Structure formats: structure tokens, C-alpha cells
Amino acid sequence: MTYTVAVRELCEFTAKQGDLDLRFTPAPTALEGIAGHAVAASRRGAGYRAEVSLSGSYQSLRVRGRADGYDPAQRRIDEVKTFKGRLDRQPASHRHLHWAQAKVYGWLLCEQEQLAHIDVALVYLDVGTQQETVFTERCSAADLRQHFEAQCQRFIAWAEQQMAHRAARDAALTTLAFPFGDFRTGQRPLAEAVYKTAVAGRCLLAQAPTGIGKTMGTLFPLLKAAPAQRIDKVFFLAAKTSGRQMALDALARLSNSAPALPLRVLELVARDKACEHPDKACHGESCPLARGFYDRLPAARAAAVATNIEGKTAPALQQARVREVALQHDVCPYYLSQELARWADVVVGDYNYYFDLGGLLHGLAQANQWRTALLVDEAHNLVERGRKMFTAELHPAALAQARSSPTAAQHAPVKKALDKMRRAWVALDKAHPAPYTVLEAFPDKLLAALQQCTTTLTEHFTDHPSEPDGALQTFYFDALHLQRMADLLDAHSMVDVTQASATHTHHRTFKPGDSVVCIRNVVPAPFLQPRLAAAHTSTLFSATLQPARYYADLLGLPDDHVWVDVESPFAAQQLQVQVARHISTRYPHRAASLAQIAALMAQQFRALPGNYLAFFSSYDYLQQAATLFAQQHPDVPYWCQSRRMLEGEQREFLGRFTDSSQGIAFAVLGGAFAEGIDLPGKRLIGAFLATLGLPQLNPVNEQIRERMQALFGAGYDYTYLYPGLQKVVQAAGRVIRTPSDEGVVHLMDDRFAQAQVRALLPTWWRVD
């Protein structure tokens, strides 16, 4: 059996040493890196070969990769590294790693071309100045072979352990049985669709109702398909913590059902949740867990992936377990988890770890040529989350704080660049004084000032890596993101300028330079599509993915994707759905609707006392309704969601729903209690929806509607109707959670009786 490893992965494992050092070392973007490699190749002679595929073997190890370039005339192999800033500030550990990679390529080329010696060159290309700095070393083939074999010897014990793990994992998955004996109604068709899609190497969009066990119904078949499909990694991507936890619980259940299942499950969490020393910087001179990180990493890594500890099966690598191992070996838990992503079988994390422009999991998958399988939980959330990932804003307060920072006061070039940015911003606002303006393109003068500003700040941070300045760094990262999105600007996004006075209800005098400048992503599909295409198979699932065309268009699903709408296990008689045709919750009718809403809620509560959720379109509407309800029906217990609730307050809100309690909870549609909460049985017996969930009618949404109309010919539906009804169905879905649940849903608006609206409601509902 042969273990295949990329040159970069091999050297990352064997040649990294010393401290974890994240002091400011500005890295070129992927596009800048590609362009830089092309520049370096274009300067070479006529016979120069770029991107040379190489491979070689050592015992059971096969090492492969692409050398950046080879000049047969000079007999020189190039390892090209693009960079920004000053090369003399490069840590010695980085140079050591680069030489290790270059010399491995050197041996593979010597072996392929039967060369006795070769020049090995490290070519550092500054993407800003396009200048090259070249370090060359003449090496004999014998020396290069010795270097290559030394790297392989350091890795081979790990590789053999990996091969044994993979063989045991695949053997166990092949015989894995469903852990619950029987599938729930609807769960088998979902599992079959996931399995068949994985075998076909395609993408699946699956609408499956709440309560059938979607998490297990997708994980189990995908793991069953993994051995035959040679799937290296399964990435379970969730929008919320609750989704991650459900996946971890399902994977624990699978592991416990088959004691011989050696499945490495890793949970990835945000840096601020994993950091042990938030007051310290990420380098060895500041943080003790960064000091000597790479020297202690091998022992920590080995302990983390150990299959048993003191005779017991090792627990999954959830946040607490990773932290425990990390602190035992004095390494950073957050960066240990990032290293472990290379060796896990299933990684559970947020959407951004794969779909974000700098997503860790996608980057590792590409570098190592993994065959990956994606599970995207509650995929209806990916539209809005995707838009946020690829939207960039600059706020005037961020620039003001940067200009008043100590750094700007002490360093003239920084102050000059920030002042130029301010002048360009003021000029833009003077040219566009309207409360809201959509521009045809990103304004040239502001872009020029932005580029100069980021260049100046890059140079400053590179020259002063140990001078932290929070305000300046915040502005810098916002500016970099805006510049990057400006480079990628196309029909999928729009440029808009919102004056500060337009963001407040009370009147404010227009002041140039106080606007919010935004590149607003409208259609995330062009960014998501390559990430979906890079996976061997992907399944995007949710209880609300209607209509399928809308999600296919906005998420960039491949043309040959599979759609499945899993039949509900629930019977129509379990849920009474009633439309209050006498109520209108349209904005002009809100005041008149309050008394009608209160009367209907009280009538339902008296007919069938129990726990109910009432959803409203805004906090103001919610408060007005709750106040009137309390005045007219003081004997009915009620409680309200408030703005910006803390986690403890949210738990307290949900804690009032018990099997024996009674009352009505007032909540906002689209908020924390409208999806992802589970209140089965008597804990929740009904819901009132005093809204269609339609996004607010405002200048931004109207511009989005125009863009949607131009792109898809369905502007109103794509902007207002489909997103609104998706929220309604999600909220109503809180009522029926298990096959034995019964309840009632009141749709309190006459528009719910319209055929177009009813077509978007679940087919198993019988609407009266």
C-alpha cells in the first residue's frame, strides 16, 4: 500500500520549527500570487518550463508536486515565493521551510532527468515592485537525495500510521450499520438520495422536513459511501452552534454504535472562543503557547489522534478535548485544531471555514488534492451568509479612529495616506449628496486613495510588527477587504453610498465624508460555485428550500445537480393551519391590526391553554402587540424577546417552555427563536404569525429587486416573497417536531390566502 503526500504537505510536517509567529507578515492574495508566478516565468529564457509536474517514491511513500519552473539551459530549478513588504524581516523558520521544499523538488527533478547536479534557486518576487531576489545553491544529486530521504524518514512512521488508520476506518465504514435499527419515515429516502449522489459524484439539494433526523440521514449514507468513493474528508458545515452540536452528537452516536469505528471527528471553533490568552499577540515573545509551537506540535498531534488512551477509545476532538491536549503540551488550542484538520476524517465547523475567500478547509483540500464531501446544514441560511462573506463596507467612524490613532500622529506617511483617503471620501459625498446612491462602478479616485492607503499601511505594519494599534488595524483589514471585493466586482454585487442621515430616523445635517461606502453582494453564486465544484460530492439540505430554482440560482449549484423533496412524516391532521383573512399586517394597517391579533390569540389560548410562540416583523410591532394584549388579557402569562439578548437571556426565554407551563411568548421573525430551537410535545403547541416575513421596502432592497429582475426575471419574488415565506415556514416548523406532536398555526394576514403564497407553504399542510 502506498501513501501519497504533496511536497508542500511533507515539508510542512517535517521542516517547520520554532515559534508560531503571526506578527504582521502581509501575504499576497491568491490572484497576486498567480500573477507573480506568471511574471517570474515570463522573464526566463525560451526553453524555460513552468509548472513542472514531479513525483518520486521512498519505501511506501509517494511524493508529488509541481515545481514552479526549470531552466534546462542553466540547469536551475526555481521555487518562486511571492511576498509583500520587506524580505529582510522574513523569519528564519520560513526560509528554512522554503529551502526544504525547493530541495525536495530538486531531487525529484534530478531523478526524473538523470542529472548529477543542479542549481536550486529560491526566487522571492515582491508583488508591489515586481523586483526579484534570488538565492541559489548548487547541489549534487546525492546531497539532494539524502535531503529527500531524510524528510521522508521523518514522515514515514506517521504515513504508515495514517495508512493503517485509513484502512481500519474504511473497513469499519463498509460494515457500519444504521445506529437506530429502523429509519424514521422520510429518513430512508433522504439517505438513499445522499448515497446515490455521492456515488455519482454530484451535488444534491434536499428539502427534508424537520423531525425526520436530517443530520443522521445525511452523515450515515455519506460515510457509508466514503470507502468505495475514496473520500478523504467529510466537511459538515453549519450556520449555527446548534447545527454543529447536532452533527457532533450524531457522529458520537455512530462511533458508539460501532466500537471498532476509528473515526477522527474534529470540531473547529472561532479563534475568540479558543484563545487562552486574548490579551497577548500570536508570537513567541508575547504568548507562551506560541513559543516553540512547532517544536512541541509533533507530540501534541500524536496525542490528539491517538486511537485510545489508557485502554479507552479516545473521545472526538471537540473543543474541550483539543484544549485539553493543547494545554498538556503547551501549544495554542486554536492553531492545534487547524493543524489537526489535515488528519481528521470528519470536520464540523461553520460555513466560513470552507466558503469564505480565505477558507481554511478549502485551501487545505486544494493544496493536498483531497477528495472531499460536503454536507451543508440548514442550507437556506447560505444565501444570506454568503452575501455577508462577499460584502465589504467602510464606515466613517473607522477612518476617524484610525486618523486619531497614536500611529497616525507619530508616522507622517500613515497620516498622509489616511488624510488622502478622507479627502477622496469627502469629494465622493459632495458628488453624491442623496441619502442613498448606487454607483455604476467603484469610484476611481476613492479606489486610488484606498490602494495607496493599504500599500502605506502594509509597509508600516511590516516595518513595525510589534507596535499593535487596534483602531488602525481594524480600518486596515476593512480597507483590504473592500479593495479585494472591488477587484472582483461584477454583476453579482453593487456599489452603494448611504449618507449617515439616511441611517437614522431623526434628522441630521448632511456632512460630506460621513457616508457608508459599500460593495454589496447580491448573488453569492459566483463565489460559492467554484467551492461546490471543487468537492467530489455535496449535499445542501434544509426543511425550507422552496422554490428550488431560487436556491440553485443564488448558491451557484451545478446544472446537473439533483433535487429531492422528501415527503413529510407528519399527517395533515397533526397541524391545524388557519388563515386569518380578516387581518392585514401591511405597514399602513398595523395599528388597526393590533386589537384583531390580540383577540385571536386570546381566543385560541382560552380554547386550548398551553405554550405558544407569536412572531412579528419588528420589535416595535411586537412591543405594541404585547402591550395591548397584556392590557386586555392580564390573566394570560406572556414574555417577550428583547433586542440584543445575551445567551443567558435566550436560555431563560426558552426555559419558560415546559411540559406543564402555559403562556404566549412574543418573538421577532428571523430572530434567535424563529429557527433552530426544539420544543417538542407540550412545550409548544401553537404559533401565531403576524407577518409574511417580507423584507423591508427600502432603497437597498429595491435596488436588489432591480438587479434580481435583470439577472433572473423574478425581481419581486427573489427579493421579497421567497425569503419572507422561507422565514414563515421555518418559524411555523417549531410546532411539530415529532410524529406524536399536535398543534395549531395561525397565519394572521389575508395574503396567506393568495394562490402564489400558498404554493410556497409545505405540501402536507392543510390550510383552512
Side-chain angles (χ1 to χ4, degrees):
M1 193 172 174
T2 303
Y3 186 95
T4 302
V5 63
V7 171
R8 180 174 173 178
E9 185 68 29
L10 173 71
C11 295
E12 290 265 347
F13 189 95
T14 60
K16 273 193 166 181
Q17 58 187 31
D19 295 352
L20 176 71
D21 192 344
L22 297 178
R23 274 176 289 199
F24 190 80
T25 49
T29 65
L31 291 175
E32 288 172 330
I34 292 166
H37 279 72
V39 166
S42 70
R43 293 172 174 172
R44 305 304 188 255
Y48 189 77
R49 291 156 52 192
E51 297 285 315
V52 184
S53 290
L54 297 168
S55 66
S57 297
Y58 177 80
Q59 295 180 17
S60 57
L61 208 57
R62 179 171 174 261
V63 181
R64 67 182 180 191
R66 276 202 187 95
D68 292 321
Y70 174 55
D71 188 334
Q74 294 191 47
R75 200 176 284 188
R76 188 181 93 174
I77 189 167
D78 291 343
E79 174 70 4
V80 180
K81 299 292 183 186
T82 54
F83 73 98
K84 289 179 175 179
R86 284 174 51 181
L87 194 60
D88 61 349
R89 291 193 177 274
Q90 183 185 59
S93 58
H94 289 199
R95 186 74 52 85
H96 177 78
L97 176 61
H98 297 163
W99 274 121
Q101 291 174 345
K103 289 180 177 181
V104 168
Y105 284 123
W107 161 246
L108 296 176
L109 190 75
C110 283
E111 186 181 38
Q112 182 173 294
E113 303 285 322
Q114 296 294 294
L115 304 175
H117 62 84
I118 195 172
D119 285 350
V120 178
L122 280 183
V123 179
Y124 289 102
L125 184 126
D126 186 326
V127 296
T129 65
Q130 304 283 286
Q131 288 185 326
E132 290 182 24
T133 305
V134 182
F135 301 97
T136 308
E137 193 175 315
R138 177 153 294 186
C139 302
S140 69
D143 286 345
L144 291 173
R145 177 175 183 167
Q146 190 175 2
H147 167 79
F148 171 74
E149 291 183 352
Q151 307 307 309
C152 291
Q153 282 166 0
R154 280 183 215 150
F155 186 71
I156 203 155
W158 183 267
E160 287 172 352
Q161 180 201 67
Q162 283 297 107
M163 283 191 288
H165 166 75
R166 177 64 175 263
R169 182 202 85 170
D170 286 353
L173 289 178
T174 303
T175 59
L176 183 65
F178 192 66
F180 296 106
D182 293 329
F183 286 91
R184 293 185 196 173
T185 306
Q187 199 174 31
R188 183 182 288 278
L190 174 62
E192 288 175 352
V194 173
Y195 184 87
K196 288 175 183 174
T197 305
V199 170
R202 293 168 72 182
C203 173
L204 172 67
L205 185 66
Q207 179 170 271
T210 299
I212 68 165
K214 291 192 292 291
T215 305
M216 185 65 82
T218 52
L219 274 166
F220 173 74
L222 200 50
L223 290 170
K224 286 292 287 182
Q229 296 306 308
R230 306 190 315 283
I231 290 170
D232 298 303
K233 312 279 178 189
V234 172
F235 297 149
F236 188 100
L237 307 167
K240 298 185 172 77
T241 305
S242 58
R244 287 207 313 268
Q245 192 55 53
M246 287 175 75
L248 292 166
D249 291 345
L251 289 160
R253 180 75 187 231
L254 281 169
S255 296
N256 293 335
S257 72
L261 177 60
L263 199 64
R264 289 184 191 153
V265 176
L266 172 69
E267 179 189 17
L268 289 178
V269 297
R271 185 167 162 177
D272 59 355
K273 289 187 178 177
C275 181
E276 290 291 313
H277 298 287
D279 58 323
K280 294 181 171 61
C282 294
H283 59 81
E285 292 171 24
S286 175
C287 179
L289 300 181
R291 195 176 307 128
F293 176 88
Y294 289 108
D295 300 331
R296 293 192 296 276
L297 175 62
R301 180 171 51 210
V305 303
T307 52
N308 59 67
I309 302 166
E310 297 171 357
K312 297 178 182 176
T313 302
L317 293 165
Q318 296 187 25
Q319 182 182 0
R321 172 64 184 154
V322 173
R323 179 177 183 269
E324 179 188 340
V325 172
L327 298 185
Q328 283 171 358
H329 293 83
D330 292 324
V331 296
C332 170
Y334 177 70
Y335 286 101
L336 174 60
S337 71
Q338 299 222 327
E339 290 289 332
L340 293 174
R342 303 167 187 270
W343 314 110
D345 301 307
V346 183
V347 182
V348 178
D350 188 88
Y351 290 163
N352 65 286
Y353 279 108
Y354 188 82
F355 290 114
D356 194 82
L357 286 174
L360 168 78
L361 296 177
H362 177 260
L364 286 174
Q366 294 299 100
N368 294 289
Q369 297 178 277
W370 291 333
R371 278 167 79 89
T372 58
L374 306 182
L375 289 176
V376 183
D377 179 41
E378 301 290 6
H380 63 273
N381 285 304
L382 188 55
V383 174
E384 203 50 45
R385 283 290 303 279
R387 285 173 170 165
K388 285 180 180 174
M389 285 180 209
F390 313 120
T391 290
E393 286 185 331
L394 265 191
H395 289 263
L399 177 58
Q401 288 165 8
R403 290 175 71 216
S404 60
S405 68
T407 302
Q410 295 164 15
H411 298 273
V414 170
K415 185 177 189 309
K416 184 178 177 183
L418 293 170
D419 288 347
K420 182 178 180 181
M421 186 78 195
R422 172 71 183 167
R423 288 194 298 274
W425 203 328
V426 168
L428 173 70
D429 282 0
K430 285 180 177 177
H432 301 284
Y436 179 75
T437 309
V438 174
L439 307 177
E440 289 295 315
F442 198 86
D444 291 338
K445 289 182 179 176
L446 185 64
L447 183 60
L450 182 69
Q451 289 168 336
Q452 184 181 330
C453 192
T454 56
T455 300
T456 301
L457 291 179
T458 297
E459 290 169 356
H460 170 79
F461 286 129
T462 306
D463 290 343
H464 306 86
S466 298
E467 281 185 25
D469 188 323
L472 195 63
Q473 283 186 347
T474 297
F475 173 77
Y476 173 70
F477 289 128
D478 288 348
L480 273 184
H481 186 44
L482 188 70
Q483 185 179 325
R484 191 174 188 188
M485 297 321 298
D487 292 341
L488 298 170
L489 189 60
D490 209 333
H492 50 64
S493 302
M494 60 190 195
V495 183
D496 60 31
V497 179
T498 306
Q499 298 301 337
S501 56
T503 62
H504 295 82
T505 52
H506 60 275
H507 178 72
R508 280 184 58 179
T509 307
F510 167 68
K511 186 179 176 185
D514 269 8
S515 66
V516 175
V517 179
C518 180
I519 295 177
R520 189 181 307 277
N521 178 251
V522 177
V523 182
F527 299 106
L528 301 176
Q529 187 273 332
R531 301 296 169 99
L532 292 170
H536 170 67
T537 181
S538 52
T539 292
L540 297 86
F541 60 98
S542 170
T544 49
L545 291 171
Q546 199 80 357
R549 182 76 257 153
Y550 167 79
Y551 289 97
D553 285 341
L554 294 193
L555 298 179
L557 304 192
D559 292 338
D560 69 344
H561 77 275
V562 181
W563 159 252
V564 62
D565 188 1
V566 177
E567 191 176 343
S568 174
F570 308 128
Q573 56 265 33
Q574 285 181 254
L575 185 69
Q576 296 178 49
V577 183
Q578 300 182 1
V579 176
R581 291 170 174 80
H582 64 292
I583 296 176
S584 167
T585 63
R586 296 169 182 84
Y587 191 75
H589 306 152
R590 293 249 173 107
S593 72
L594 294 171
Q596 296 167 319
I597 288 169
L600 179 57
M601 288 167 60
Q603 181 186 342
Q604 173 62 42
F605 184 85
R606 299 198 196 291
L608 187 65
N611 290 319
Y612 294 84
L613 265 166
F615 292 100
F616 295 83
S617 54
S618 68
Y619 283 101
D620 288 342
Y621 196 19
L622 176 158
Q623 205 57 56
Q624 291 167 20
T627 301
L628 182 66
F629 185 84
Q631 288 171 358
Q632 295 186 347
H633 308 283
D635 58 315
V636 180
Y638 80 100
W639 57 104
C640 296
Q641 179 181 0
S642 58
R643 297 177 197 268
R644 292 177 288 279
M645 267 184 157
L646 300 174
E647 277 190 29
E649 294 171 319
Q650 291 182 15
R651 283 195 298 272
E652 190 179 329
F653 182 95
L654 291 174
R656 294 189 64 167
F657 293 88
T658 70
D659 287 334
S660 58
S661 64
Q662 295 181 359
I664 299 177
F666 289 71
V668 172
L669 192 71
F673 307 113
E675 66 173 272
I677 63 166
D678 209 20
L679 300 168
K682 297 294 183 186
R683 292 181 66 193
L684 183 69
I685 64 166
F688 305 97
L689 286 126
T691 172
L692 261 72
L694 305 181
Q696 190 181 6
L697 191 70
N698 60 33
V700 173
N701 284 335
E702 281 298 279
Q703 286 294 328
I704 293 174
R705 182 182 61 77
E706 286 184 23
R707 184 64 56 93
M708 292 295 194
Q709 186 65 34
L711 291 172
F712 306 114
Y716 176 79
D717 291 348
Y718 273 43
T719 308
Y720 295 103
L721 187 62
Y722 298 158
L725 267 294
Q726 177 267 314
K727 290 178 184 175
V728 166
V729 175
Q730 274 288 335
R734 301 310 97 205
V735 178
I736 302 294
R737 308 299 292 174
T738 73
S740 61
D741 282 359
E742 293 182 356
V744 61
V745 168
H746 286 276
L747 303 174
M748 299 194 290
D749 193 287
D750 60 279
R751 287 168 290 178
F752 281 112
Q754 296 173 2
Q756 185 187 16
V757 171
R758 288 181 66 156
L760 297 170
L761 302 178
T763 53
W764 68 274
W765 285 10
R766 190 174 64 225
V767 183
D768 297 326

